[in-house]
Amino acid sequence: MEPEDLDLLYRIENDAELWAVGETNVPYSRYTLHDYIATSSDDIFADRQLRLIIEKDEVSPLTSHLSPITVGIADLINFDPRHRRAEVGIVIEQPHRNKGYAKAALEALHDYARRVIHLHQLYAVVSADNQPARQLFLSMGYRPTATLTDWILRSDNTYSDAVVMQLPL
């Protein structure tokens, strides 16, 4: 991540609709996120996580040059070097969803996990009622291996199950 990614990170981390699918349930200040970007070593072995910005190239109408536009974030979290596995998280901002960016980002993340950090497997914990996410992971070769009952507390104080989806590398 770069300092320029602060606005994207701020939007995603403070989107209360996303809290139900993650482990965060409090807003983060710009200062906290700025400090996170500044102190992250970008070394998955040191930080036990890796956060990557998903960009698309777009032609600038003023200059006709390609400029990167941020569309989301892909994470490897809960990295376990001993067992060679990590959890995958991915968020595409609403205006950019259903355009193939998540799939392309996962393909790049899988390649990195295989070739660079030599992981044995990746996994995702997905809300059972999040059909777009489940379909994405299924299309990428992940298989549901467990159901965690009443795992995710929704904003209406009801619970949904979560599905653990694994991808052997």
Side-chain angles (χ1 to χ4, degrees):
M1 290 186 302
E2 302 290 339
E4 297 81 19
D5 299 320
L6 178 60
D7 289 338
L8 171 73
L9 190 59
Y10 184 81
R11 283 192 309 271
I12 288 175
E13 292 293 350
N14 291 302
D15 184 344
E17 290 182 18
L18 296 174
W19 292 351
V21 297
E23 296 181 8
T24 300
N25 62 1
V26 297
Y28 286 99
S29 69
R30 285 187 181 279
Y31 176 81
T32 298
L33 295 172
H34 179 274
D35 189 52
Y36 169 75
I37 292 171
T39 59
S40 175
S41 71
D42 295 327
D43 179 352
I44 193 167
F45 289 92
D47 297 338
R48 296 294 193 251
Q49 68 176 1
L50 180 65
R51 180 161 263 185
L52 301 168
I53 302 302
I54 302 168
E55 296 178 333
K56 70 173 182 167
D57 287 330
E58 193 169 88
V59 177
S60 168
L62 299 176
T63 65
S64 298
H65 294 307
L66 287 178
S67 300
I69 305 296
T70 56
V71 299
I73 295 177
D75 296 320
L76 289 178
I77 59 173
N78 298 322
F79 171 62
D80 186 330
R82 181 175 187 274
H83 299 291
R84 296 177 30 213
R85 65 177 173 240
E87 182 177 351
V88 174
I90 190 160
V91 174
I92 303 295
E93 289 198 288
Q94 186 62 43
H96 306 289
R97 291 181 185 162
N98 301 312
K99 296 180 181 175
Y101 299 123
K103 188 170 187 172
L106 281 176
E107 287 171 350
L109 201 58
H110 294 167
D111 184 59
Y112 173 79
R114 274 187 204 101
R115 290 186 323 100
V116 178
I117 55 177
H118 309 289
L119 292 185
H120 172 67
Q121 67 176 300
L122 294 173
Y123 67 96
V125 180
V126 182
S127 176
D129 55 8
N130 187 343
Q131 289 303 321
R134 290 180 64 190
Q135 188 56 45
L136 169 68
F137 285 109
L138 284 170
S139 74
M140 298 297 297
Y142 287 73
R143 292 293 164 245
T145 57
T147 298
L148 304 169
T149 305
D150 286 349
W151 199 254
I152 298 171
L153 178 63
R154 297 184 193 144
S155 59
D156 66 358
N157 276 338
T158 62
Y159 285 88
S160 68
D161 294 349
V163 178
V164 178
M165 303 185 78
Q166 293 177 265
L167 175 72
L169 298 172

